[in-house]
Amino acid sequence: MCVCVILCLGESGLGKSTLVNSLFLTNLYIDRCMPDVSEKIARTVSITKNTVDIVEDGVNLRLTVIDTPGFGDALNNHERYFKFYYVDQEMEKYRRNEIGLNRKNITDNRVHCCLYFISPHGHGLKPIDVNFMKALDQKVNIVPVLAKADSLTPKETHNMKSKILTEIDKFKIKIFQVPDSDPDNKDLFKQQTEEIKRSIPFAVIGSNAVAERNGRRVRARVYPWGIVETENPSHSDFVHLRNMLIRTHMQDLIHTTHYLLYENYRSGGGRTSRRRTANRVQGGDNGGRSQGRGVTYRPPPGRRILAPQEQHREGGTLGEGSGGGRRTESMADQSEGGAREETGGTWSMRCQVGPRPQP
Amino acid sequence: MCVCVILCLGESGLGKSTLVNSLFLTNLYIDRCMPDVSEKIARTVSITKNTVDIVEDGVNLRLTVIDTPGFGDALNNHERYFKFYYVDQEMEKYRRNEIGLNRKNITDNRVHCCLYFISPHGHGLKPIDVNFMKALDQKVNIVPVLAKADSLTPKETHNMKSKILTEIDKFKIKIFQVPDSDPDNKDLFKQQTEEIKRSIPFAVIGSNAVAERNGRRVRARVYPWGIVETENPSHSDFVHLRNMLIRTHMQDLIHTTHYLLYENYRSGGGRTSRRRTANRVQGGDNGGRSQGRGVTYRPPPGRRILAPQEQHREGGTLGEGSGGGRRTESMADQSEGGAREETGGTWSMRCQVGPRPQP
């Protein structure tokens, strides 16, 4: 089984949980209780961890989704910052297991991807976004996501994306770089890779509600002035994000984590003491940035990859087959068969031996 | 000329400036330059002040709109909090002028209404909202506004409004209470007053763009899935808010400020030292709340009021006549004639003698 851990980070109320439900056609937070404002004042960031098993093109995938309710709620967010050590802790656990005697069956809980949710209402990034992304970018693949994009017109979305990318560049925040496709990849894969690259930061819309559109049941948000379909590429980049996460680039996320970020951590570049973390928030040092990213990850040439699914109009394939976990059945009737193609090479999403890639 | 000062407060990016432009059919912030994230980190809350002269039913109104860019941007919002003393300063200026020798022509810059913008993306109020509203509610008429309501479905808007009202009640935040209409008021006025009461907190949508709808040019937001009209009551409470502010309840806002809030300030209930302000943020005291609100404002019976305008479908009247100021001409072609009715009484919006109500 292929295991991928996804961390959802971003201000409270940006639709993290709803997006996860939409991405994996599940209902992970059915028993969630929203804190009221007095609880928000009292508490710190909490971590909720949910696992969902899905079957994608006959391949079993186990996705662990970590949500962080309470993030950004505080009046003074410095405190919250210092208490967020989850990524480091999991790297350290893995390192200790790796140097132990019995390392055949290590459970890999390292975070392979951090979906960082950016508010559509700020004028670009907020200071809290810059601080968090800079603090994490040596330890995890950051995928920036422009949340609740249905509150932005197409022109506003374009401007917001440009501003976010400019600020990411200006502050030298390292985000996950989608590798170029190989010349021997299928045209559809190449096209999808290009679409994914163009979409970053992904402007996404999630929904827990289902509406009827042209005889199909789709996840949608129903407004008095129109219906927003989450999977309609002309409404949002949701499809591109989902393709990247569970179809075309999951292996890249896992391998970058192991070969680049984890190696960087082991060599000391990613391990950040509390004191150094504190300094970086104040803008006092660069957190050893220069050490970490000397090694560049390149996927091996001719690797074996799963080809992308057919586009939105042909219907999704999520939920097909025997996918178990906490996936709800309400959306299962949506799934139809999808195309499956493979190119030659050595790597595959059909990894049955556990999450740790063999060098 | 009737003078009313409106303060717009709320997190950056919630559409304060856009709403002001939509409310007063103007373009106050044409030369605005949005700060980037590095400037946001460095600076504190700034105050921008704009005055717009409008003519409403032949009555000249001067509205001063105070915007607070930078509010809530900081990582540590305690600091910003301490630096926001504008409301106190203006009360104090007025008090000093009033005890001076020449007090015939006092310029009234006291804040008569604070539109407090609440994010549609939080799950109810945020800690920063509770702190700010509690700090200001003895000094100014707070009108809570649920910003950017086009990102919420009708059900979400309803739930969000309920949650906000519950939390306002729980934290004993005093918001502006719309007075009941008198038995001798016209039915249309009574109906509008009821609609205004039901709409609080006002779920609003603003827009600087104009679209063509059914042969009329309207302020709207154009999405791929539909067009949101700011003045359509089935899309938002924008019309009710505008009616309250400049048609039906402007005099109530001015009189409550003078007879209740200012008297409270003079007697010491509203004057808050920096130390007491600091304590209240920490939840340490109630800021002398018990002193302030002993007096209850009641509008005099049988007062003269301006009757409400005809509803949305009959077209707005803003911009009619010789309204000057910084109002842009692009929207002037929208204005049509509106109904005007008056009931008997003694108070009127036709005050020509300056802003200070004569006791």
Side-chain angles (χ1 to χ4, degrees), chain B residues 11 48-49 70 87 121 174 198 230 264 267 342:
Chain B
E11 270 180 81
T48 64
K49 210 168 167 180
V87 176
H121 293 168
K174 306 276 183 191
R198 268 202 305 273
T230 56
N264 178 28
S267 68
E342 287 184 24

Side-chain angles (χ1 to χ4, degrees), chain B residues 11-281:
Chain B
E11 270 180 81
S12 186
L14 288 183
K16 297 186 289 295
S17 316
T18 309
L19 187 77
V20 164
N21 285 342
S22 305
L23 280 171
F24 308 123
L25 301 183
T26 181
N27 199 355
L28 290 179
Y29 308 95
I30 202 161
D31 48 357
R32 188 166 71 147
C33 180
M34 292 312 302
D36 78 353
V37 65
S38 46
E39 290 172 73
K40 285 180 191 167
I41 293 170
R43 72 183 184 150
T44 56
V45 177
S46 59
I47 301 274
T48 64
K49 210 168 167 180
N50 280 286
T51 297
V52 56
D53 290 343
I54 59 171
V55 179
E56 177 64 20
D57 263 337
V59 181
N60 295 318
L61 306 175
R62 173 161 292 166
L63 288 152
T64 302
V65 183
I66 301 155
D67 202 350
T68 51
F71 176 101
D73 272 342
L75 277 174
N76 184 348
N77 284 298
H78 282 204
E79 289 165 24
R80 311 299 160 114
Y81 176 85
F82 297 137
K83 284 172 189 163
F84 193 75
Y85 285 114
Y86 185 84
V87 176
D88 296 81
Q89 281 165 1
E90 293 303 328
M91 285 276 195
E92 187 57 23
K93 271 186 204 166
Y94 192 88
R95 193 182 68 84
R96 289 192 180 178
N97 282 331
E98 205 183 39
I99 57 175
L101 284 178
N102 184 6
R103 63 182 193 179
K104 269 188 180 169
N105 299 307
I106 302 176
T107 309
D108 186 7
N109 286 321
R110 292 171 299 181
V111 179
H112 301 110
C113 173
C114 168
L115 294 182
Y116 192 90
F117 287 69
I118 297 161
S119 169
H121 293 168
H123 303 286
L125 295 178
K126 294 183 179 182
I128 190 175
D129 299 327
V130 173
N131 275 271
F132 265 86
M133 286 201 275
K134 274 183 83 80
L136 288 174
D137 71 350
Q138 283 188 83
K139 301 167 193 165
V140 66
N141 290 306
I142 293 176
V143 175
V145 163
L146 179 53
K148 297 204 166 178
D150 54 338
S151 57
L152 298 174
T153 63
K155 191 181 167 197
E156 287 168 345
T157 305
H158 175 80
N159 292 344
M160 187 75 175
K161 281 186 172 192
S162 303
K163 188 145 194 204
I164 289 169
L165 288 177
T166 307
E167 291 180 339
I168 280 175
D169 200 47
K170 183 176 173 187
F171 285 94
K172 296 186 175 57
I173 296 165
K174 306 276 183 191
I175 59 171
F176 175 63
Q177 297 297 320
V178 178
D180 293 328
S181 46
D182 291 336
D184 56 350
N185 288 147
K186 293 274 161 134
D187 286 344
L188 185 60
F189 179 82
K190 287 179 187 168
Q191 182 200 328
Q192 273 210 325
T193 303
E194 283 311 306
E195 280 171 346
I196 287 168
K197 283 186 173 188
R198 268 202 305 273
S199 302
I200 293 172
F202 298 94
V204 293
I205 299 163
S207 175
N208 288 326
V210 176
E212 191 92 14
R213 293 290 279 177
N214 307 323
R216 286 193 316 123
R217 293 183 72 216
V218 291
R219 289 217 177 207
R221 289 179 61 77
V222 182
Y223 292 107
W225 47 88
I227 295 177
V228 187
E229 298 166 57
T230 56
E231 300 191 29
N232 187 334
S234 67
H235 291 183
S236 83
D237 301 324
F238 176 89
V239 173
H240 305 315
L241 175 64
R242 191 177 62 190
N243 283 344
M244 192 193 89
L245 285 183
I246 56 177
R247 287 175 187 157
T248 54
H249 292 89
M250 183 191 270
Q251 278 303 323
D252 288 309
L253 290 165
I254 293 171
H255 284 255
T256 315
T257 303
H258 187 73
Y259 289 108
L260 178 64
L261 302 170
Y262 177 63
E263 287 304 316
N264 178 28
Y265 176 81
R266 278 182 62 241
S267 68
R271 270 181 284 179
T272 317
S273 70
R274 291 197 176 212
R275 182 166 296 177
R276 279 171 64 197
T277 309
N279 283 340
R280 187 146 58 162
V281 173

Side-chain angles (χ1 to χ4, degrees), chain B residues 292-355:
Chain B
R293 293 267 166 145
V295 189
T296 306
Y297 165 74
R298 288 185 202 284
R303 66 193 168 132
R304 173 169 294 204
I305 44 162
L306 273 192
Q309 296 291 333
E310 290 302 306
Q311 286 295 316
H312 170 72
R313 59 185 180 281
E314 277 80 32
T317 57
L318 252 183
E320 183 194 21
S322 58
R326 295 185 57 179
R327 188 168 59 80
T328 49
E329 295 309 303
S330 63
M331 294 297 295
D333 55 350
Q334 251 189 277
S335 53
E336 299 159 28
R340 182 171 176 267
E341 296 166 43
E342 287 184 24
T343 57
T346 50
W347 287 11
S348 169
M349 270 177 81
R350 287 182 172 280
C351 42
Q352 303 291 336
V353 289

Side-chain angles (χ1 to χ4, degrees), chain A residues 247-260:
Chain A
R247 286 175 188 156
T248 54
H249 291 90
M250 183 190 270
Q251 278 303 321
D252 288 309
L253 290 165
I254 294 170
H255 284 256
T256 314
T257 303
H258 187 73
Y259 289 108
L260 178 64

Side-chain angles (χ1 to χ4, degrees), chain A residues 52-183:
Chain A
V52 54
D53 291 343
I54 59 172
V55 178
E56 176 64 20
D57 263 338
V59 180
N60 295 316
L61 305 175
R62 173 161 291 166
L63 287 153
T64 302
V65 183
I66 301 155
D67 203 349
T68 51
F71 176 101
D73 272 342
L75 279 174
N76 183 349
N77 284 298
H78 282 202
E79 290 165 22
R80 311 300 159 114
Y81 177 86
F82 297 136
K83 284 171 189 164
F84 194 75
Y85 286 114
Y86 184 84
V87 177
D88 296 82
Q89 281 165 0
E90 292 304 328
M91 284 277 196
E92 186 59 23
K93 271 186 205 167
Y94 192 89
R95 193 183 68 84
R96 288 189 183 180
N97 282 331
E98 204 183 40
I99 58 176
L101 284 177
N102 183 6
R103 62 182 193 180
K104 268 190 182 168
N105 299 309
I106 301 176
T107 309
D108 186 6
N109 286 322
R110 292 171 298 181
V111 179
H112 301 109
C113 173
C114 168
L115 294 182
Y116 192 90
F117 288 68
I118 297 161
S119 169
H121 292 169
H123 303 286
L125 296 179
K126 293 184 180 182
I128 190 175
D129 299 327
V130 173
N131 275 271
F132 265 86
M133 285 202 274
K134 273 182 84 78
L136 288 174
D137 70 349
Q138 284 188 84
K139 302 166 192 165
V140 66
N141 291 305
I142 293 176
V143 175
V145 163
L146 179 55
K148 297 204 166 177
D150 53 340
S151 57
L152 298 174
T153 63
K155 192 182 166 194
E156 288 169 345
T157 305
H158 176 79
N159 292 344
M160 187 74 174
K161 281 186 172 192
S162 301
K163 188 146 193 204
I164 289 169
L165 288 178
T166 307
E167 291 179 339
I168 280 175
D169 201 46
K170 184 177 173 185
F171 285 93
K172 296 186 174 58
I173 296 165
K174 306 277 182 189
I175 59 172
F176 175 63
Q177 297 298 320
V178 177
D180 293 327
S181 46
D182 291 335

